[in-house]
Amino acid sequence: MEPSPTSLSRLANSGLTVREAADRLARDGRNVMPSVGRPHPVREFVAQLTHLLAVLLWVAAGLAMLAGMPPLAVAIVFIIVLNAAFAFWQEHRADRSTERLRSLLPQVAQVVRDGRVRRLDVAELVVGDTVLLTAGDRIGADMIVEAEAGLTVDESMVTGESAAVPHEVGERVVAGTFVIQGEAAATVTATGAATTVAGISALAGSAERPASPMSRQVGRVVRLVAVIALLTGVSLGLTSLALGLDRTSAFLFGVGVAVALVPEGLLPTVTLSLARGAQEMARSNALVRRLDAVETLGATTFICTDKTGTLTQNRMAVVEVLTRAGPVTVRGLGYQPVATLAGAAAAKTEVPQIVAAALSCVTGRVERQGAEWVPRGDPMEAAIHCLALRTGTDDTPSEPERRPYTSDRMLSSACADGTVSVLGAPERVLARCVDVPADAHQIVAELASQGRRVLAVATHRWTSADGEDQRENNLEFLGLLGLEDPPRENVGESLQACRDAGIRVAMLTGDHPATAEAIGREVGLIGPTGLVIVGSSLPADDADLALLLDRPDGCVIARVTPQDKFRIAKALRQRGHVVAMTGDGVNDVPALREADVGVAMGASGSDVAREAADLVLLDDHFGTIVRAVELGRATFQNVRRFLTYHLTDNAAELAPFAVWAVTGGNFPLAIAVLQVLALDIGTDLLPALALGAEPPRKGIMRGRRTRNVVDRQVLLRAFALLGLVEAVCSLAAFTLVLLAGGWTWGAEPSASLLGRASGTAFAAIALGQIANAFACRSTRLPVWRLDLSGNRLILMSVAAELGLLAVFLGVPPLADLLGGTWPDPIGWAYAACTALAVIAADGIVKTVGARRRPR
């Protein structure tokens, strides 16, 4: 079914014919922005080979080759290429994910073709098309305004100016801007690459993607560890020189140690973890427009949510009409145009006049799609059209001149044949009426206390000679409309999950305070001591405002304005909260941008709101926000897991070199540089990726989340517990094998004995890291209490790691190259003890910690 014409459709021309449009589409191409030329994949891959750390590694590989150590040079080059390939794959995957997410949000336009209004994909717009624009629309091509009613456009994307710009007939509006208020009919003058925004798009696409806060924090850790690695390499190189090594050998030894200890794979692993979190959110109907929003969502401490469509179903229906003669109850199913009206006969006779006046003020409609009737446009306006169909009140034959609803007036009006009809908030409409019934305000309060949205309808005769200031004044009261919007399912459970997570929730709505309070109490957003306040009564001081709203029992702010929402987001952020703010309208954009996470509605929101948001809810459900917060927390925890894993391995790898240097070479070097590189390849890579895919824990929404990804807990766990146990046990295994072979302090062990002992230390660290991978899955549960099948990627990575361990130690040429040989049975037993020791130490600390935690 074709959409009904808006108030300007009859002022527009009949538009192109379908045949003309098809010919122009074939001639000019689809109305899409030219894809910004991304760097060639080869160039992107080369960029991964030439960043700072990679350059240092290239220098080290060249020096190793010049010194006659090709195995070390080959190993270093392999590390460089492997990390470059890994990072390139993740960047490519992230870009592809972003493209897929954007494709899930199609943009449509109302276009006049063959004299009829059609809803088409903006990509099908052609030069000469007549497009109808309403508030919230994104303008899909360059156009000239042919007719308008209060048209105001946000051109900040083009001009950089935040103030909205009014446009009159004959003026030009450009693609990519947004209609803030009013309506217009406009003719397309340029599409695709010919539009003004095409050049801006090319410049925007060439900008580099900014790093997320988490990536910057992890980057600082990587740089710190890299500096430590370089200093360690220099120190050990000088130590080896003092112990009698020649300059070339000492230099290469120091370089090798530094190369082995540099954590080149950390940053790409973080990127992949964030990308995976975004993909998981997309499966839960939450589309992340920026990867860093994944981590920010997990840190959310305050959610400011709309009521309509988020906490409620946004399936509005007029269930009661209050006339001067009494109430009329309307009973119907969904948006079906059939209903039963119950009430006094005199009251029923007044209903058509009330409905006709209300219908003239709105453009939303219901339309039939198959066997279903669905809303098009604003659901509240569609409910009024549905009521008109149910009462037999059709659109007026004379198209009215409308003044659309604005947040400052809180009403809309229409003028046709000398009659002005007004529809809006009761307190605003009744204040303009000259004959308000004595009980009108009491009835409004009663309806609102039942959770109804209440609209007042009024009318009067007016001509231009009366003056514009009298157009919406001196009104005759007609009646009230009571609309019902049932709460969404499972909203109460989602709100309770927020409380358990320490997240405060506030409802920000334009509804009557009694209506908002009734819904808030019904869904459990506010408790017995919860706050209900009107936007006009909010404190003027931002600190006082934040203090008032920061309460665990919830709060409702009714009759809120866009300016109020902006102030609330700003004040709460200044108080230290991480704020998520929902919005669906054009005027919500400042608040969405001010919040840490702007959340737009995908099903009912405006294009401009979705463009400004960090997160788009495809189902508009409050529970989806909570699910996104849960996944954000899970992603944050996974980053902490694999950081702990990486740092533990670095501690175990560094210990043999430190002991060798401290003892002045009297204690043999337990593992060689190439063995460290092999451990990084076989131990760090796959388990770290698997830890990044760990599913959310059951208690992840209990209590507030820690702010820092690397904190005292991570460092102590990596260096003072897991890394220390691995280092001590691997060195102990190495020493026991040496002693069993007859070695004495300060003596040079035989090549075969040193090979077996070194192979044992290598195996001990590798098996210790396998245990570490399981230990890092949880910060509270010991390994034996974890569901081993809860993360199948861990099991797969462990199997791969064991295979690589067998190859590194069991293939003679490779084992000889690395410096360690296959351990004897007692050596394997010692190595296995390292894994058991890691699990035991981890379990003891977790068990003791659990007993000390308050229950």
Side-chain angles (χ1 to χ4, degrees):
M1 180 175 179
E2 299 294 343
S4 303
T6 70
S7 60
L8 289 170
S9 62
R10 294 175 188 174
L11 298 178
N13 56 45
S14 60
L16 300 175
T17 65
V18 173
R19 179 62 181 272
E20 287 174 333
D23 291 342
R24 296 187 185 193
L25 186 64
R27 181 192 68 192
D28 299 334
R30 290 169 60 81
N31 177 37
V32 294
M33 292 300 104
S35 57
V36 178
R38 288 186 54 199
H40 192 277
V42 173
R43 185 176 177 183
E44 288 185 316
F45 183 70
V46 170
Q48 299 295 343
L49 298 171
T50 55
H51 58 77
L52 179 60
L53 287 177
V55 169
L56 293 176
L57 294 175
W58 281 116
V59 171
L63 292 172
M65 184 63 71
L66 291 174
M69 298 183 66
L72 179 59
V74 170
I76 295 173
V77 170
F78 181 77
I79 288 290
I80 298 171
V81 175
L82 179 66
N83 280 287
F86 184 44
F88 169 77
W89 173 65
Q90 290 176 76
E91 289 291 323
H92 178 70
R93 185 174 179 178
D95 287 338
R96 288 289 302 275
S97 297
T98 302
E99 291 170 7
R100 282 197 299 270
L101 296 184
R102 287 175 179 170
S103 69
L104 293 176
L105 295 174
Q107 185 191 356
V108 297
Q110 293 189 78
V111 185
V112 181
R113 296 263 177 95
D114 286 331
R116 301 171 64 187
V117 180
R118 305 169 184 266
R119 293 173 64 83
L120 302 176
D121 191 309
V122 293
E124 298 179 26
L125 290 180
V126 297
V127 174
D129 261 331
T130 298
V131 180
L132 306 181
L133 303 171
T134 58
D137 287 349
R138 179 166 57 185
I139 299 174
D142 288 359
M143 306 178 189
I144 294 292
V145 177
E146 303 292 346
E148 59 87 23
L151 177 66
T152 306
V153 178
D154 176 4
E155 298 181 344
S156 58
M157 192 196 74
V158 177
T159 65
E161 298 293 334
S162 59
V165 180
H167 282 274
E168 299 179 351
V169 173
E171 293 185 342
R172 178 170 167 262
V173 292
V174 301
T177 57
F178 296 89
V179 179
I180 298 293
Q181 290 183 2
E183 304 171 322
T187 301
V188 175
T189 58
T191 61
T195 59
T196 302
V197 77
I200 299 173
S201 176
L203 290 175
S206 63
E208 293 185 2
R209 183 187 295 112
S212 70
M214 179 190 289
S215 294
R216 290 194 294 269
Q217 193 176 27
V218 174
R220 287 194 293 269
V221 174
V222 170
R223 288 191 293 272
L224 176 62
V225 176
V227 169
I228 293 174
L230 291 173
L231 292 177
T232 302
V234 171
S235 299
L236 292 179
L238 293 175
T239 301
S240 61
L241 186 63
L243 293 176
L245 266 67
D246 61 86
R247 292 182 180 180
T248 301
S249 299
F251 175 76
L252 290 175
F253 178 70
V255 169
V257 170
V259 168
L261 296 179
V262 170
E264 306 92 344
L266 267 183
L267 285 178
T269 309
V270 172
T271 302
L272 180 61
S273 184
L274 293 175
R276 183 180 179 85
Q279 290 171 343
E280 289 296 322
M281 289 182 184
R283 295 190 184 101
S284 299
N285 291 321
L287 302 186
V288 177
R289 300 186 70 248
R290 296 198 333 263
L291 278 185
D292 59 340
V294 175
E295 186 269 335
T296 310
L297 271 165
T300 298
T301 60
F302 206 112
I303 299 176
C304 299
T305 178
D306 290 331
K307 175 183 75 68
T308 303
T310 310
L311 299 175
T312 63
Q313 298 179 18
N314 206 14
R315 293 184 60 85
M316 292 191 184
V318 180
V319 295
E320 200 162 0
V321 182
L322 277 299
T323 72
R324 285 181 174 274
V328 175
T329 303
V330 183
R331 297 188 180 91
L333 181 63
Y335 289 103
Q336 298 289 332
V338 178
T340 301
L341 274 64
K348 290 182 180 179
T349 60
E350 294 183 19
V351 170
Q353 182 186 9
I354 297 173
V355 175
L359 183 63
S360 68
C361 297
V362 300
T363 58
R365 296 293 184 264
V366 294
E367 56 187 36
R368 189 165 189 167
Q369 291 185 359
E372 296 290 326
W373 286 78
V374 297
R376 178 184 59 79
D378 187 289
M380 184 197 71
E381 297 185 356
I384 294 174
H385 181 229
C386 181
L387 177 65
L389 296 179
R390 289 171 172 176
T391 58
T393 307
D394 203 354
D395 289 346
T396 56
S398 175
E399 187 69 24
E401 178 191 350
R402 293 192 179 95
R403 283 188 174 180
Y405 175 92
T406 59
S407 58
D408 54 344
R409 295 188 307 134
M410 298 181 68
L411 55 82
S412 59
S413 66
C415 181
D417 300 327
T419 298
V420 172
S421 301
V422 178
L423 173 73
E427 62 266 34
R428 295 299 180 90
V429 176
L430 296 180
R432 298 167 184 255
C433 292
V434 296
D435 59 343
V436 180
D439 60 349
H441 291 283
Q442 179 183 351
I443 293 173
V444 169
E446 290 175 354
L447 286 173
S449 67
Q450 300 169 21
R452 305 277 195 263
R453 171 177 281 192
V454 186
L455 297 174
V457 186
T459 186
H460 79 139
R461 298 292 297 178
W462 175 86
T463 65
S464 57
D466 296 327
E468 283 294 326
D469 60 332
Q470 296 301 312
R471 181 184 178 117
E472 296 173 347
N473 289 306
N474 298 318
L475 303 174
E476 175 190 349
F477 174 78
L478 293 181
L480 300 171
L481 302 179
L483 294 93
E484 183 181 62
D485 185 13
R488 286 185 178 271
E489 294 182 1
N490 305 320
V491 165
E493 291 86 341
S494 299
L495 288 165
Q496 184 58 48
C498 287
R499 290 194 179 91
D500 293 341
I503 299 173
R504 307 287 171 87
V505 182
M507 178 201 295
L508 279 57
T509 177
D511 273 350
H512 190 282
T515 303
E517 180 179 4
I519 295 296
R521 297 198 185 280
E522 182 178 357
V523 301
L525 188 145
I526 52 174
T529 61
L531 172 70
V532 179
I533 190 172
V534 179
S536 58
S537 300
L538 293 174
D541 182 74
D542 285 351
D544 293 339
L545 172 62
L547 180 63
L548 177 69
L549 302 183
D550 192 4
R551 51 204 311 134
D553 212 16
C555 59
V556 170
I557 304 95
R559 296 305 191 206
V560 71
T561 67
Q563 293 77 16
D564 292 332
K565 295 181 73 171
F566 177 84
R567 277 195 62 219
I568 289 168
K570 181 180 179 181
L572 289 172
R573 290 186 67 205
Q574 290 175 343
R575 189 172 168 81
H577 279 289
V578 178
V579 180
M581 173 74 71
T582 69
D584 56 3
V586 175
N587 290 334
D588 290 331
V589 169
L592 293 177
R593 289 175 175 164
E594 176 63 25
D596 296 281
V597 181
V599 183
M601 305 299 110
S604 61
S606 63
D607 290 332
V608 63
R610 287 195 288 263
E611 195 73 18
D614 305 296
L615 182 74
V616 178
L617 306 181
L618 288 182
D619 57 1
D620 293 4
H621 199 303
F622 179 81
T624 303
I625 304 176
V626 180
R627 174 60 176 164
V629 171
E630 180 183 11
L631 290 171
R633 288 191 171 195
T635 300
F636 180 83
Q637 288 296 335
N638 288 344
V639 172
R640 286 170 62 89
R641 287 186 178 102
F642 63 67
L643 274 173
T644 305
Y645 181 83
H646 272 293
L647 295 175
T648 299
D649 192 33
N650 282 344
E653 292 170 348
L654 181 60
F657 296 96
V659 171
W660 174 81
V662 169
T663 62
N666 288 312
F667 188 85
L669 189 59
I671 56 175
V673 170
L674 290 179
Q675 285 176 300
V676 174
L677 294 174
L679 283 169
D680 288 340
I681 297 169
T683 302
D684 276 2
L685 197 58
L686 294 179
L689 291 176
L691 286 171
E694 190 72 20
R697 286 282 179 270
K698 187 175 182 180
I700 199 168
M701 291 293 284
R702 190 177 299 121
R704 286 195 176 179
R705 198 205 78 180
T706 181
R707 288 293 184 96
N708 296 321
V709 68
V710 179
D711 57 10
R712 184 171 178 268
Q713 180 185 8
V714 169
L715 296 176
L716 286 177
R717 184 166 160 76
F719 293 120
L721 175 63
L722 299 172
L724 179 62
V725 171
E726 270 191 35
V728 170
C729 290
S730 60
L731 287 174
F734 176 75
T735 305
L736 289 172
V737 172
L738 286 179
L739 292 174
W743 172 78
T744 59
W745 182 263
E748 184 73 26
S750 65
S752 60
L753 176 59
L754 182 61
R756 289 196 309 274
S758 185
T760 299
F762 181 87
I765 295 176
L767 295 180
Q769 279 296 94
I770 289 177
N772 183 29
F774 288 106
C776 287
R777 290 186 61 201
S778 173
T779 57
R780 295 195 172 189
L781 294 178
V783 172
W784 56 83
R785 291 184 57 190
L786 292 173
D787 178 11
L788 296 183
S789 63
N791 185 348
R792 296 184 182 275
L793 289 179
I794 285 285
L795 300 178
M796 295 169 60
S797 67
V798 165
E801 185 175 340
L802 289 172
L804 284 171
L805 178 60
V807 170
F808 290 151
L809 294 176
V811 178
L814 186 57
D816 293 339
L817 174 66
L818 296 178
T821 58
W822 190 269
D824 54 23
I826 192 66
W828 279 112
Y830 292 150
C833 287
T834 301
L836 295 176
V838 169
I839 292 174
D842 175 71
I844 290 171
V845 170
K846 289 175 178 175
T847 302
V848 172
R851 290 176 179 173
R852 290 180 176 176
R853 281 193 295 269
R855 297 185 181 274

